[in-house]
Amino acid sequence: MLLRNGIPLRFIFRQIRLELLLVTLFVVIIGVIDENKFLNLAIPATVPTILGTAISLLLAFRTNQGYQRWWEARIVWGAIVNDSRTLIRQLLAFTHDHGDYLPDLYRRVAHRQIAFCYALGNSLRGMDTLPAIGGLIDTEERSLLRRHDNVPNALLQLHGDDLAELLRREWVNPYQQVQLDDTLRRLCDSMGKCERIKNTVFPSAYNIIIVLFIYLFVFSLPFALVESFGLGQIPIVIVVAAAFFLIEKSAIYLQDPFENRPTDTPMTAIARTIDINLRQMIGEGEVPEKLPAEGFYLM
């Protein structure tokens, strides 16, 4: 996630450097041809005006749709934070008077839930999930997870096994077990929503149409300005092109919030917050520090 301050210009313009290079070469060629009166290149300003208006509407829709996907991802991860805390709070409240077995149970479930958050973030980014878990789960559970393609889902299944054991020992009653299971259901729903956002590709035909229209607009703009501005049209066209290309790139990054880029939903930072909270809830003395920002962004 990009932070409010300190975003370097080189990061912003690196995303569109090839497009700007192509546009710069084109407008310089048009300017030189017109300056030397080789050809009459002027066209009515109506043509780029109509194109620019149409593109503005398309980009507004595209940016809005991209932001909705990014914001939905952030809402889902907010729900994961809440449900992770709720799971441990329910476990502590429902089972606090049932003997020496409980501290180990609290630690196992809390660590497994922390592992779920780290593993889900890595899975959505297409990274290996098991290294992210570290020493949060024991050897037996780690061996079981290696047999699953979806590690976060397997971790929720292990949660379910522990809840079933609590009910069997009558350490929770059926009503409490239903509430605990409902918390697991919400966590599973959140995982599914993230996977839907990740796997639902924005229509490629729509992307191609927008990019094509932007290039048509940018390449027609010098012909409309060259008669009035001469070589002065070069910086004007470059600035206008940069604005359109930046908006289009921003929309692309917003619509894909799980791609291991600085514009991502900050899943690792959120998982670290959950890590800290759950360890403190079960009374662990040592907790990790909050994840620091990597310059101008937080992962």
Side-chain angles (χ1 to χ4, degrees):
M1 179 179 69
L2 297 178
L3 303 178
R4 290 172 181 244
N5 300 317
I7 301 176
L9 289 177
R10 67 178 181 277
F11 169 77
I12 296 174
F13 287 100
R14 186 170 64 235
Q15 316 307 319
I16 59 169
R17 60 184 183 276
L18 294 179
E19 290 89 344
L20 286 186
L21 177 60
L22 181 60
V23 170
T24 301
L25 290 175
F26 181 77
V27 296
V28 167
I29 292 171
I30 297 301
V32 170
I33 291 175
D34 181 76
E35 190 72 13
N36 290 276
K37 307 300 181 185
F38 294 143
L39 294 170
N40 181 16
L41 300 175
I43 65 171
T46 309
V47 175
T49 300
I50 295 173
L51 283 172
T53 302
I55 293 167
S56 298
L57 294 173
L58 289 172
L59 286 178
F61 176 76
R62 172 75 175 278
T63 303
N64 182 60
Q65 294 301 307
Y67 180 77
Q68 285 185 3
R69 281 166 63 103
W70 185 90
W71 183 238
E72 183 184 3
R74 185 61 187 87
I75 290 174
V76 171
W77 271 88
I80 291 173
V81 173
N82 296 339
D83 289 331
S84 296
R85 294 167 178 162
T86 298
L87 177 66
I88 303 305
R89 177 181 54 78
Q90 289 175 329
L91 194 64
L92 293 171
F94 294 163
T95 64
H96 62 85
D97 56 352
H98 286 291
D100 296 336
Y101 171 77
L102 291 177
D104 181 62
L105 172 69
Y106 297 153
R107 180 181 179 278
R108 185 170 68 252
V109 174
H111 284 199
R112 190 189 296 132
Q113 182 58 30
I114 295 167
F116 166 82
C117 297
Y118 285 123
L120 179 58
N122 273 30
S123 175
L124 292 171
R125 286 174 173 156
M127 302 165 63
D128 194 358
T129 53
L130 290 179
I133 294 174
L136 291 167
I137 58 174
D138 59 31
T139 304
E140 181 179 350
E141 290 188 353
R142 183 182 289 271
S143 298
L144 185 148
L145 293 178
R146 288 195 179 96
R147 300 198 294 269
H148 288 261
D149 292 331
N150 192 326
V151 171
N153 186 60
L155 288 166
L156 292 182
Q157 181 179 339
L158 291 172
H159 276 339
D161 293 342
D162 275 342
L163 297 187
E165 179 65 15
L166 289 176
L167 183 64
R168 188 186 68 79
R169 296 192 183 200
E170 298 184 349
W171 287 359
V172 296
N173 61 48
Y175 301 103
Q176 292 170 332
Q177 199 272 343
V178 167
Q179 292 184 57
L180 286 163
D181 189 68
D182 190 57
T183 304
L184 290 187
R185 179 192 60 78
R186 293 196 302 270
L187 286 166
C188 188
D189 287 347
S190 295
M191 177 179 64
K193 290 175 182 177
C194 288
E195 291 170 344
R196 170 177 54 79
I197 294 171
K198 171 72 175 181
N199 297 325
T200 302
V201 179
F202 211 79
S204 57
Y206 189 71
N207 296 338
I208 294 171
I209 290 171
I210 290 180
V211 172
L212 177 61
F213 269 83
I214 290 176
Y215 274 108
L216 285 174
F217 167 71
V218 170
F219 286 162
S220 67
L221 190 57
F223 297 103
L225 299 179
V226 71
E227 188 173 54
S228 301
F229 294 95
L231 292 177
Q233 55 88 18
I234 295 175
I236 296 174
V237 174
I238 292 173
V239 170
V240 173
F244 276 86
F245 283 124
L246 281 173
I247 294 171
E248 194 260 341
K249 288 289 185 181
S250 297
I252 290 175
Y253 290 161
L254 285 173
Q255 75 189 27
D256 296 320
F258 304 135
E259 297 300 319
N260 201 27
R261 293 188 295 231
T263 51
D264 268 9
T265 299
M267 296 181 290
T268 306
I270 294 172
R272 178 66 64 85
T273 298
I274 296 171
D275 190 344
I276 295 169
N277 293 165
L278 299 196
R279 288 178 188 270
Q280 290 175 337
M281 289 177 72
I282 63 175
E284 288 194 1
E286 296 184 5
V287 297
E289 298 289 332
K290 286 189 175 182
L291 191 71
E294 299 183 30
F296 60 95
Y297 62 92
L298 191 64
M299 294 300 284

